[in-house]
Amino acid sequence: MKNLRRKTLAAASAVTLGVGLAVAGGVAPAASAAGPDTTFLVLAPQGAKTDKAAARVAAAKGTVVASYDQIGVLVVRSTNPDFVRDVAGAGVESAASTAGLGTALDEGETLEVSAAAAANATADPTKEPMFGQQWDMPMIDVPQAHAVNAGSASVVVGVLDSGISSSHPDLKDQIAKDKSASCIGGVADTTESAWNPTTSDHGTHVAGTIAAAVNGVGVTGVAPGVKVAAVKVVNNEQYIYPEAALCGFMWAADHGMQVTNNSYFIDPWELNCRNDARQRPVWQAVQRAIRYSQSKGVLNIASAGNSNWDLAHKITDTGSPNNGTPEDREDLTNSCLVLPGEAPGVVTVSAVAPTGKKSYYSSYGLGVVDVTAPGGDTRYRTNGASSTPTDGILSTTFNTATKTNGWGYKQGTSMSSPHAAGVAALALSAHPGMAPGQLASFLERTAESVPCEEGVWEPRPGYPATCTGGERNSFYGAGMVNAYNVVK
C-alpha cells in the first residue's frame, strides 16, 4: 500500500469535493453555466436496470462512459455543475461527483538492487539468484510448498494496482495479457501500453511477490506457476479514483480471475464513512462491485493499511483527505471503514517484520484483520541494532524514469497482501473449485497462529499498539499465512 499511508505524492488539481446526495423524484431545473468536465457515479436502485437512470443522465446533460448493468451503476461525465441535483428522478437512487476523491498511492521509497549485487547474491542454488535475500519466503514455507505444488497456470490473480511491466524478465511470461486492462476513468482499455506502468512500479513489485518466475533470474514469487493479470487502477498522477476501482472489480469478475490483490484504499479519506453524504454513494457502488465479483467466484484480498490504527475501535483521523487540506474527524464510529479492506467478504491482511512480529506501521483490529503476512519493517530494532533497507520485501521493480526493469525492496501492508494472494492462488491450484468463502476460511484454518505480545507493543517510538484476543487476535487475525499448509 505505502510506507506511510497519508504522505501525498502528487498535488490534486483544484476542485471542489463532490457531494453525494440521495435523490428521489423531481423535475430538473434550468441548466447552469457549464463547469469543468467531471466524473460522477450514478446508482440505480439495488437490483434495478440502468435504463431509467441513463435517461435521467441524458436529461441532466451527462454522458454515460461506462455502464455496469450487472450492479446498476453508471460512470458519467458532465460539465453541468448542478448534475447531482438535476439527475434526481425515477430510476436514480443516489449520485456523487468523484472530483477530488482521488487517493494518492504512497508507495514509499524503493531500494533498487544493482545488477552486480544481483549477480553475486548468495542463494540456494536450486532457487533464484536473489532467493537468499527473500527472507519473507521461508517465513511462510514457500520452498516446502514449491516441492509439492508451485501453482497452476489456470489460476489467475488480478493485480489491481499501477500496472505491471510486461517486459520484466521475471514477469513477461507470467502475465495473462488477454485478461489485462487499464481501468483509468472507469472504462476498460485492453491495449498493452495502457496497462503497463507509467509513473509507479508499485504494481510490478506486488506482481513479483505473487508470481515471479522460477527461471534462473532474479527472485521467485509465492506462486510462480500461476498467472497474474494487470488491472490498472492508478493514474499517471498516482491517484486511485472510485470509478477505476469499481471498473477493476467488475473486470476481474467478468474475465475469469479467481483472486484479486488490492494494495490501496479508496477515497482521499482513509476511512470511508457510509453515513457521510459525500462518501456513501462510493461505498454503495464499490460494495456492489465486490459482491458481484464474489458471486462470480473471486476472492478479494486487501491490505489493512499503514497508519498503526486499531480499526475495531473509534478513530480520530487528522490526516485526510490526502489530496487537499486535512480535516479533523474525531471519534469516527465503525460506520467508517477502510475500503476495500473492511468490506464484507474481503480478506484483510496485516504486516509483520523479519522478526515475525507486527510491523510498526501496520494497522490492526480484532475482527478486522483476518490473517497476517510478511510486509517488512526497515525501522524495527533487534538487540539494540538498527535494521536496514533489506528488511523490506525484495521483488520486481520498474524504473519509470529510465524505463528499465530491476529488483528492489519496499515495505508496507501493500507487500503483505500479495503474499496472502499468492498463498490463496496456491490453495486453488492444489484444491480447485473452492468458492470464495471456502477459500477465505481455508486460508485462516491453515495459517500458523501468532500470539499477542504482552503489554504495549512499540517497536518504533511513537507507534504504540496493544494486541487483544487469544489464538485469533487483533494483530495477526488467525495467524501467518502458510504456503506449505495449503498445498500439502
Side-chain angles (χ1 to χ4, degrees):
M1 185 176 300
K2 359 181 171 181
N3 271 9
L4 275 183
R5 186 169 198 162
R6 295 192 293 271
K7 175 183 173 187
T8 301
L9 294 188
S13 57
V15 292
T16 301
L17 289 175
V19 177
L21 300 175
V23 294
V27 178
S32 303
D37 193 19
T38 302
T39 298
F40 299 85
L41 296 179
V42 177
L43 282 68
Q46 182 71 47
K49 295 182 178 180
T50 58
D51 51 348
K52 291 182 179 179
R56 293 299 310 169
V57 167
K61 301 188 182 304
T63 301
V64 174
V65 296
S67 178
Y68 297 103
D69 296 330
Q70 310 95 312
I71 60 171
V73 178
L74 302 174
V75 179
V76 174
R77 301 284 295 181
S78 179
T79 58
N80 178 4
D82 298 316
F83 177 82
V84 170
R85 182 194 68 190
D86 295 351
V87 80
V92 174
E93 178 181 300
S94 61
S97 163
T98 65
L101 295 186
T103 299
L105 178 73
D106 185 353
E107 55 187 324
E109 298 179 359
T110 301
L111 173 66
E112 295 187 358
V113 178
S114 69
N120 295 323
T122 301
D124 180 340
T126 66
K127 304 295 181 182
E128 301 296 84
M130 286 184 276
F131 184 81
Q133 298 173 16
Q134 292 185 273
W135 57 266
D136 49 315
M137 297 300 172
M139 180 175 279
I140 60 172
D141 289 343
V142 166
Q144 295 92 321
H146 286 185
V148 178
N149 192 324
S152 167
S154 64
V155 175
V156 181
V157 180
V159 179
L160 277 62
D161 214 294
S162 62
I164 302 174
S165 172
S166 61
S167 61
H168 198 291
D170 250 343
L171 294 172
K172 61 185 179 66
D173 296 325
Q174 308 299 92
I175 302 172
K177 295 183 177 180
D178 60 329
K179 298 180 185 295
S180 297
S182 167
C183 272
I184 304 305
V187 182
D189 180 350
T190 59
T191 58
E192 188 166 335
S193 60
W195 53 258
N196 262 259
T198 46
T199 59
S200 166
D201 72 342
H202 192 271
T204 298
H205 195 278
V206 165
T209 295
I210 297 170
V214 175
N215 57 359
V217 176
V219 297
T220 183
V222 174
V226 308
K227 298 293 185 182
V228 289
V231 185
K232 191 174 182 179
V233 297
V234 180
N235 69 13
N236 287 347
E237 287 71 46
Q238 298 180 342
Y239 277 82
I240 305 102
Y241 281 85
E243 60 269 21
L246 170 75
C247 167
F249 285 116
M250 297 301 292
W251 179 265
D254 289 334
H255 290 82
M257 298 173 207
Q258 299 98 318
V259 178
T260 68
N261 184 81
N262 303 271
S263 292
Y264 60 88
F265 68 103
I266 300 168
D267 258 354
W269 290 274
E270 185 165 348
L271 298 174
N272 183 285
C273 295
R274 293 169 291 178
N275 57 356
D276 186 314
R278 296 169 295 181
Q279 298 177 298
R280 181 168 176 76
V282 171
W283 165 267
Q284 291 173 313
V286 173
Q287 179 58 25
R288 287 186 190 184
I290 290 173
R291 283 199 302 264
Y292 176 76
S293 70
Q294 291 165 347
S295 74
K296 300 288 282 187
V298 183
L299 177 65
N300 299 297
I301 297 176
S303 47
N306 302 330
S307 294
N308 191 39
W309 277 350
D310 183 351
L311 297 170
H313 294 90
K314 289 184 178 181
I315 293 168
T316 295
D317 179 10
T318 59
S320 300
N322 68 10
N323 66 350
T325 302
E327 304 173 8
D328 289 340
R329 300 196 301 169
E330 298 181 353
D331 295 331
L332 298 178
T333 67
N334 287 339
S335 65
C336 298
L337 307 172
V338 170
L339 186 64
E342 289 190 80
V346 174
V347 173
T348 305
V349 188
S350 64
V352 299
T355 58
K357 301 298 185 181
K358 184 180 102 64
S359 302
Y360 79 89
Y361 53 80
S362 181
S363 290
Y364 56 101
L366 188 62
V368 176
V369 168
D370 297 301
V371 290
T372 195
D377 191 334
T378 62
R379 298 183 183 182
Y380 78 94
R381 292 177 179 270
T382 303
N383 298 325
S386 298
S387 60
T388 70
T390 58
D391 291 315
I393 301 299
L394 178 62
S395 186
T396 48
T397 61
F398 180 76
N399 189 313
T400 58
T402 62
K403 307 301 180 186
T404 54
N405 297 297
W407 295 266
Y409 294 88
K410 290 181 184 288
Q411 70 172 9
T413 54
S414 273
M415 285 59 255
S416 61
S417 180
H419 284 84
V423 171
L426 286 180
L428 284 175
S429 299
H431 314 285
M434 279 192 287
Q438 293 174 310
L439 179 56
S441 177
F442 188 58
L443 283 180
E444 295 180 13
R445 295 199 316 273
T446 55
E448 298 285 344
S449 180
V450 183
C452 278
E453 286 70 40
E454 294 184 3
V456 177
W457 176 246
E458 194 171 6
R460 182 187 177 198
Y463 290 83
T466 301
C467 186
T468 57
E471 187 171 344
R472 186 185 183 102
N473 57 60
S474 61
F475 278 10
Y476 311 112
M480 184 86 69
V481 294
N482 188 278
Y484 180 54
N485 286 350
V486 301
V487 300
K488 69 179 180 181

